[in-house]
Amino acid sequence: MSDLDMAPVDHRGRTPDGARVLRGSVRDNRRSLIASTALLSLHQFCEVSVPVLIGVAVDRALGNADVASLIRWLTVLALVFLVLTVAYRYGARIAMTAAQGEAHRLRMRCAATIVEDTPPTATELRDGEMLSIANSDADETGNLLRYVPQAGSAVMALIACAAVLIGIDTALGITVLIAVPLALSVVQLLSPFTTRLIGAQQHHIGRSTALATDLVTGMRTLRGIGALGIASDRYREADGRARLAMRRAAIGHGAFFGAATGVTGLIAVGVAALAGWFALSGQISVGALITVLGVAQFLTEPLAIAAMLPGRVATARASAERISTLTARHRLAGDTTVPIDHDSTTVPCPGEFVAVRAPDSAAARTYASTIGSDHRSGLLVEPHSVDLFTGTIWSNLVVDPHAAPPRATVVELLRALGSLDILSGGGTEALDTPVSDRGLSLSGGQRQRLALARALIRDPGTLVLHDPTTAVDAMTERVVAEAVYRHRHGRGATRSTTVITNSPAWLRVADRVVALPGCATTEPAS
């Protein structure tokens, strides 16, 4: 079996619980779904009544040449059309509002997970994949709320059609009652196949999006090492897999909807043929024949909606599983050997500078995310991955312009952090130097020092840094470490700082060095 046929699984190898996401969406929007289903069912009842009223008008008004009766029935028809139009308009509006609102809620849930709850490494998803999930998958999952009321109203319409046909002839009604469940059961057999194909499609689209994001982010580095050709080949390969997955999903969609349309058409033709036979044999009147033909033609719509619901659910289920993979909270207790204990020796005392050594980068990221989940006031965690934004150096350093320090003070801080290269040797006017999207106009070391300066300007009571200077040379790293210590831990300082690092420069200036499990035992600072 190729990787295109595999259903997505989470980082522990388990199938994500997309059904729980869908159940939550339906439960949270149940009032809107009930209202929409009621209005759309009213619309369907009116649709069913149209051929019935036409048949009655033919038998009673035209058959007896009664003009007054014809006018009355035409007026009734006009009122029915008015009701069905209004019911559909507001029923569809409520369903669409629920779908869009749920898609937005899922996007916000994904964004909150990415920004606050779960580090990207915990789910093994790259930025582009998470972006794809938060956009297209959230939309596909939310769209299910559009189809649930339609399916509910379609079932009500099928019941109404069966009742009308039984009223005309019992055999016709029983034919519909038996044929419809059989048809839906046959179409349902294709649902798991469609789910798997849609899941594979969304998975490979996310992978190609992630690779594209990585390429754009690292374009400067790739150009520098002459690897643009190799990177382009890798993207073409990923794009080809995504294209193949989309083609297979389209074939699956086509097979599913083709089967649904074909089966519903056969049922409608069968009902119409049976009614024609009854009319020729004199078992039903001309008006009844018109009613049956109208109902048979109308049957194709609710039958198609009901038959296609499993496909809609399959698509939403595949997307919901990817959302479940992203938003699952992978906390440290079951994922790593690093203990979650904020009262341990890793917690600094007021005014203390503590360096925490980790056995590897994964343990360091995990420990940083654990501290980040602690929502104590006055706590600021500056992650290893630096986030800068389009604007200027000043706008990236100052969060609140009204509470900003003097520009000269900011320049002095940057000088102390060995950042004259960022200022290009200039003064306060250099703070207005433009910064491109994600800070790509700066080097990695410059971005790290800007992020560090931003954290120092915030001046939190407790500051946690994770490998803040991996992109600078050893000499600059020592200057930065000493500058941070002087800035936050002068005489009488009550602020505490924790640095998760194995860098000798930071270990040297720390008041205390603590080792996480897997490292050497706790050792004093030199």
Side-chain angles (χ1 to χ4, degrees), residues 392-465:
T392 63
I393 293 176
W394 176 257
S395 66
N396 274 279
L397 289 175
V398 177
V399 177
D400 183 4
H402 301 290
R407 292 168 70 93
T409 303
V410 174
V411 170
E412 287 303 316
L413 175 60
L414 289 173
R415 290 179 184 274
L417 293 174
S419 302
L420 285 175
D421 55 330
I422 300 177
L423 299 173
S424 300
T428 56
E429 67 281 356
L431 295 176
D432 297 320
T433 301
V435 174
S436 66
D437 184 32
R438 296 188 300 278
L440 296 181
S441 57
L442 304 172
S443 68
Q446 290 174 329
R447 291 196 295 270
Q448 284 187 334
R449 281 173 286 162
L450 272 184
L452 185 56
R454 179 172 59 194
L456 295 177
I457 291 172
R458 288 287 301 277
D459 198 26
T462 302
L463 175 63
V464 179
L465 304 173

Side-chain angles (χ1 to χ4, degrees), residues 196-516:
R196 186 166 64 251
L197 290 178
I198 294 297
Q201 170 190 275
Q202 296 295 85
H203 171 74
H204 285 285
I205 289 175
R207 286 289 184 182
S208 62
T209 304
L211 184 57
T213 303
D214 292 343
L215 290 178
V216 172
T217 303
M219 186 67 69
R220 182 174 177 178
T221 303
L222 292 171
R223 184 179 291 110
I225 63 177
L228 280 177
I230 297 175
S232 298
D233 291 340
R234 289 183 178 178
Y235 178 74
R236 290 192 192 96
E237 182 181 352
D239 183 64
R241 287 195 295 267
R243 213 166 39 243
L244 179 58
M246 293 175 67
R247 188 179 300 117
R248 290 185 177 182
I251 292 173
H253 261 298
F256 185 90
F257 293 137
T261 304
V263 169
T264 56
L266 288 176
I267 294 176
V269 170
V271 171
L274 189 58
W277 173 259
F278 288 163
L280 290 175
S281 61
Q283 298 182 44
I284 60 176
S285 66
V286 175
L289 175 62
I290 293 174
T291 298
V292 172
L293 292 177
V295 170
Q297 183 179 9
F298 169 73
L299 263 177
T300 58
E301 178 184 345
L303 274 174
I305 293 174
M308 291 177 183
L309 180 63
R312 305 295 188 185
V313 173
T315 301
R317 174 71 179 269
S319 292
E321 286 174 352
R322 286 166 52 78
I323 291 174
S324 176
T325 299
L326 174 61
T327 58
R329 296 167 180 256
H330 304 296
R331 292 308 184 190
L332 299 179
D335 295 334
T336 179
T337 58
V338 180
I340 307 175
D341 185 3
H342 292 300
D343 295 326
S344 68
T345 56
T346 61
V347 177
C349 299
E352 189 179 27
F353 189 111
V354 174
V356 177
R357 298 176 56 226
D360 51 46
S361 58
R365 287 193 298 268
T366 302
Y367 181 75
S369 69
T370 306
I371 299 177
S373 66
D374 185 347
H375 298 293
R376 291 176 293 170
S377 60
L379 171 67
L380 175 62
V381 179
E382 184 64 35
H384 174 66
S385 178
V386 174
D387 291 316
L388 297 180
F389 308 94
T390 303
T392 63
I393 293 176
W394 176 257
S395 66
N396 274 279
L397 289 175
V398 177
V399 177
D400 183 4
H402 301 290
R407 292 168 70 93
T409 303
V410 174
V411 170
E412 287 303 316
L413 175 60
L414 289 173
R415 290 179 184 274
L417 293 174
S419 302
L420 285 175
D421 55 330
I422 300 177
L423 299 173
S424 300
T428 56
E429 67 281 356
L431 295 176
D432 297 320
T433 301
V435 174
S436 66
D437 184 32
R438 296 188 300 278
L440 296 181
S441 57
L442 304 172
S443 68
Q446 290 174 329
R447 291 196 295 270
Q448 284 187 334
R449 281 173 286 162
L450 272 184
L452 185 56
R454 179 172 59 194
L456 295 177
I457 291 172
R458 288 287 301 277
D459 198 26
T462 302
L463 175 63
V464 179
L465 304 173
H466 176 203
D467 279 332
T469 50
T470 54
V472 302
D473 59 80
M475 184 67 68
T476 303
E477 187 174 38
R478 182 170 183 174
V479 170
V480 171
E482 292 175 351
V484 171
Y485 189 89
R486 288 194 304 270
H487 184 83
R488 289 185 57 83
H489 298 278
R491 185 182 300 275
T494 59
R495 297 166 295 185
S496 61
T497 305
T498 298
V499 180
I500 306 169
T501 184
N502 288 311
S503 168
W506 290 99
L507 300 179
R508 186 179 297 110
V509 302
D511 298 320
R512 183 161 54 92
V513 177
V514 177
L516 295 178

